[in-house]
Amino acid sequence: MSDKVDQQAPAKDEKDFILERKERLKKLIEMGIEPYGRKFVRTGTMKEYTDGFEEGKQVTVAGRVMAWRGHGKTVFADLRDRTGKIQIYARKDELGDAVFELFGCIDIGDVVGVSGKLVKTRTGEVTVHVETFTFLSKAMMPLPEKWHGLKDIETRYRQRYLDLITNEDVRAVFMTRTRIVSLIRKFLDDQGYIEVETPMMQALAGGAVAKPFKTHHEALSTDLYLRIAPELFLKRLIVGGLEKVYELNRNFRNEGISRRHNPEFTMLEIYAAYEDYGTMMQLTEDLVVSVCGVLGIDLKTGIPGIDLTTPWRRVSIYDALKEHTGIDFKTCGNVKEAAVKLGVEFDKTAKDHDVVNEIFETCVEKKLVNPTFITDYPIVLCPLAKAKKEDPSVAERFELYVNGQEIANAYSELNDPAIQLENFLRQVEGTGKEIDADYVRALEHGMPPAGGLGIGIDRLVMLLTKQDSIRDVILFPQLKPEKKEC
RNA sequence: GGGCCGCUAGCUCAUCUGGUAGAGCACCACCCUUUUAAGGUGGCUGUGCUGAGUUCGAGUCUCAGGCGGCUCACCA
């Protein structure tokens, strides 16, 4: 479909309407008019004037021409900015023949600035009665269809600007994303957390298990990896005494792309010294409740089919499994036999706890619609977490599931360097991979007990904006590059 | 990587079983001094994703490729 997308096609292929627009552009230039304008001082936004209408108020606004309704000696047009839409109205008898003709050189899609008085038409629509106008940017390309908008999914992602111009709901989603991110920062800042930035390029891609992207630094003559998680660096800062830190930024994982996975995605990681995973559970609830409050999302009814009312359910992974499979895996003698019976596929060489995890993902995960904290993960699945005092076989850890997908992951951080070293060594056994020895060294200097939390921001935004695909909450999702035509 | 589905005008979509493509919007011309999916009259618009094959004839059938979507696999 690459030919559907404009890419500076040679002149011979240009459509009539583009040639016509180029002609008009030439005409403007010949008249000494700049088709691509300069700094333009506005007195306010569309929303300010449509919401707070004042008859006769002199205003200057700027925006993109979205619709054009000519009536012979008058013209109505719609101008849109980031905040909304306002109608403009021009009359030949007021502007004069020459100026009115110039006004007629405006095409749909152009960015223009207009000055005039605010009036209401007889149907009550707030309108700028145009006295002067300025070309700010002539559009050479036509806009997508005004009524149906831009639907083609590929074009929407590849030419997101068209999607944003045309589809108001898309714009709203991304405005909401921006607000969510900024509200989260404010929430954490207000609680004394400090935002830090740790390396995106790491010699060892640690803190999670995922295939990293590899790159190379010439001057250091060394291979580096794009980070798969900031965790190990953030905890070094806990060792360093920063006590309450967070980082809200990109992670990169060189794995499959799907409705729920983008190679680069935004992760929030939070660490608090002297706390534990219980604190993080509370923090997770508080954070979501706070964000919903500001956004005006009712916890009970705001997201159809999902009840966000706190406190959220807390259930151990074994109880959740029992509930959905009828099998108690804590006492179950033959896990693999149970998996076969449940129709869950697994690697024959996998260990029992991996199979249990597999069963959880297949049989339970999708059914966790309302927010649910799953706790008591087998400690072997959590090499960076502290074991429960009363039951060392499970970790002080939870994962939060909402709408069948994992949104957050947290634990009481393991701060025993000896156990950490053991866990690392067990992890890399037989893989030929290196362990992060400096992280162990950092722990040897003493890390206060701490709670750590990771929240997938894209997935949180998906939830709060009711989007089914991660691509609809990422402005420029990763796609195959367009094929260049030769 | 596997399976299924999609790709037709700038955009949104039609084109039943094979007979060389249409509508609306946009665009162009003319008319129209409060319209708002403005209206009226007339007009222009195509590499039917690409390539090969079958056929007298392919947008339509077959094969290969491209891009996308969903899904499975992968994925702490």
Side-chain angles (χ1 to χ4, degrees), chain A residues 173-444:
Chain A
V173 166
F174 287 107
M175 298 289 265
T176 303
R177 178 180 177 126
T178 293
R179 286 191 73 199
I180 290 169
V181 168
S182 115
L183 286 168
I184 290 172
R185 286 202 162 98
K186 184 171 188 310
F187 176 86
L188 292 170
D189 293 344
D190 287 350
Q191 299 207 11
Y193 288 89
I194 57 171
E195 182 171 9
V196 294
E197 294 172 274
T198 65
M200 298 260 179
M201 299 164 82
Q202 306 178 345
L204 293 165
V209 175
K211 200 185 288 178
F213 287 94
K214 195 174 182 178
T215 184
H216 186 79
H217 192 284
E218 298 293 343
L220 293 177
S221 149
T222 189
D223 285 339
L224 292 171
Y225 299 95
L226 299 187
R227 74 176 181 197
I228 56 175
E231 173 156 356
L232 299 184
F233 283 93
L234 290 171
K235 284 194 280 191
R236 282 172 168 93
L237 299 178
I238 297 300
V239 173
L242 298 191
E243 294 187 359
K244 295 173 85 176
V245 298
Y246 74 94
E247 182 161 10
L248 200 171
N249 218 317
R250 228 62 73 79
N251 285 351
F252 307 86
R253 296 187 182 178
N254 203 344
E255 283 161 2
I257 297 178
S258 78
R259 212 157 52 89
R260 295 173 177 188
H261 301 264
N262 195 61
E264 51 180 309
F265 61 100
T266 302
M267 182 70 118
L268 167 65
E269 286 203 12
I270 307 168
Y271 293 87
Y274 312 112
E275 303 292 346
D276 68 1
Y277 79 131
T279 312
M280 292 297 132
M281 213 178 266
Q282 188 62 49
L283 185 69
T284 308
E285 282 186 357
D286 291 349
L287 187 148
V288 172
V289 168
S290 162
V291 169
C292 286
V294 180
L295 292 178
I297 296 171
D298 184 89
L299 294 179
K300 201 162 192 70
T301 61
I303 312 294
I306 301 171
D307 185 353
L308 296 176
T309 312
T310 54
W312 295 336
R313 188 173 180 218
R314 302 171 184 201
V315 56
S316 88
I317 187 167
Y318 294 106
D319 289 344
L321 279 164
K322 199 151 97 188
E323 197 176 311
H324 289 96
T325 66
I327 299 168
D328 188 343
F329 286 91
K330 252 202 150 151
T331 57
C332 170
N334 196 331
V335 170
K336 289 185 181 171
E337 195 175 281
V340 172
K341 213 157 66 188
L342 291 164
V344 175
E345 287 176 28
F346 58 90
D347 188 339
K348 298 277 179 300
T349 64
K351 300 214 170 69
D352 276 4
H353 55 257
D354 289 321
V355 177
V356 169
N357 202 35
E358 190 64 42
I359 294 169
F360 177 80
E361 283 172 14
T362 314
C363 303
V364 183
E365 198 176 306
K366 288 178 185 67
K367 292 176 181 159
L368 301 175
V369 175
N370 288 336
T372 308
F373 290 115
I374 299 290
T375 60
D376 296 341
Y377 284 82
I379 188 72
V380 285
L381 292 173
C382 319
L384 295 160
K386 197 185 264 296
K388 265 192 168 176
K389 196 173 179 184
E390 61 275 21
D391 180 1
S393 74
V394 299
E396 287 196 3
R397 174 184 180 185
F398 71 81
E399 286 194 349
L400 171 67
Y401 287 85
V402 189
N403 201 21
Q405 83 184 329
E406 184 192 337
I407 298 279
N409 179 20
Y411 32 83
S412 302
E413 302 300 335
L414 177 60
N415 61 345
D416 179 328
I419 298 176
Q420 186 65 77
L421 179 61
E422 274 175 39
N423 290 351
F424 275 172
L425 289 173
R426 195 174 53 244
Q427 254 188 313
V428 300
E429 204 179 357
T431 65
K433 283 183 188 159
E434 228 179 303
I435 67 158
D436 192 337
D438 175 69
Y439 178 68
V440 176
R441 180 168 64 184
L443 294 189
E444 283 168 347

